[in-house]
Amino acid sequence: MRRFEWFMLLAIVSTVTACVTPNQQLPDPIPGPVCTEIGCESLLVVDLVDTDILPEETYQIEVCVDGTCVDESVTVDIPGETGVGRLSLQADDDLIEFTLPPGDYDTTAVVSVMVADAAGSVIVEGESDAVPLERAQPNGPDCPPVCFTGRMQV
């Protein structure tokens, strides 16, 4: 560094040092946890094991989780919309994805699923009294949101 730059650096350090006295207390940090803002959604995935979902077809799907049900017509690979949760049906993997409504769920859920074709014939249905739900808090244990994921086979 040139002599002038060293002089300026020394002047800045001296000024900062003079402004902070040994008895000066710094303010306390913000109380509580510091949280990031990573989002998540609670999701139930249903594997349709012995069912072949056809691309571009429309199916009637009913999913009930702990007594809250969604019953709607869903076109394969196009997510549906409802006020409670979203349903989507994927032909590649023969999966139903149900976005659970916000809430605090137990470690297991009572789930029932029914899928009918366009003619109204039930092609698959099943239920479980104990689908495991895994709790996740992507921003840390003391920070929202809290999300749950579960998976079952029908």
Side-chain angles (χ1 to χ4, degrees), residues 9-20:
L9 180 62
L10 183 60
I12 291 171
V13 170
S14 297
T15 303
V16 170
T17 304
C19 291
V20 178

Side-chain angles (χ1 to χ4, degrees), residues 3-144:
R3 186 177 210 173
F4 177 74
E5 292 172 334
W6 275 107
F7 178 75
M8 289 303 294
L9 180 62
L10 183 60
I12 291 171
V13 170
S14 297
T15 303
V16 170
T17 304
C19 291
V20 178
T21 62
N23 294 331
Q24 184 178 6
Q25 291 189 0
L26 298 174
D28 290 332
I30 299 172
V34 176
C35 300
T36 59
E37 295 184 10
I38 299 171
C40 64
E41 290 183 318
S42 295
L43 184 69
L44 173 69
V45 177
V46 180
D47 294 305
L48 304 174
V49 179
D50 294 324
T51 306
D52 191 22
I53 298 299
L54 303 174
E56 300 178 19
E57 292 291 320
T58 299
Y59 294 88
Q60 191 67 31
I61 301 174
E62 180 183 73
V63 176
C64 297
V65 178
D66 289 338
T68 301
C69 298
V70 172
D71 185 354
E72 68 178 56
S73 182
V74 177
T75 301
V76 176
D77 297 325
I78 299 175
E81 292 288 334
T82 70
V84 176
R86 290 188 309 273
L87 282 170
S88 63
L89 189 56
Q90 300 174 11
D92 290 346
D93 302 324
D94 295 326
L95 294 176
I96 297 172
E97 289 186 348
F98 176 53
T99 303
L100 298 168
D104 193 17
Y105 293 89
D106 205 351
T107 56
T108 61
V110 176
V111 178
S112 65
V113 177
M114 185 277 303
V115 179
D117 62 17
S121 299
V122 174
I123 58 173
V124 65
E125 63 184 328
E127 62 183 87
S128 174
D129 290 337
V131 174
L133 295 179
E134 190 172 312
R135 180 185 174 108
Q137 288 182 267
N139 298 314
D142 297 326
C143 300

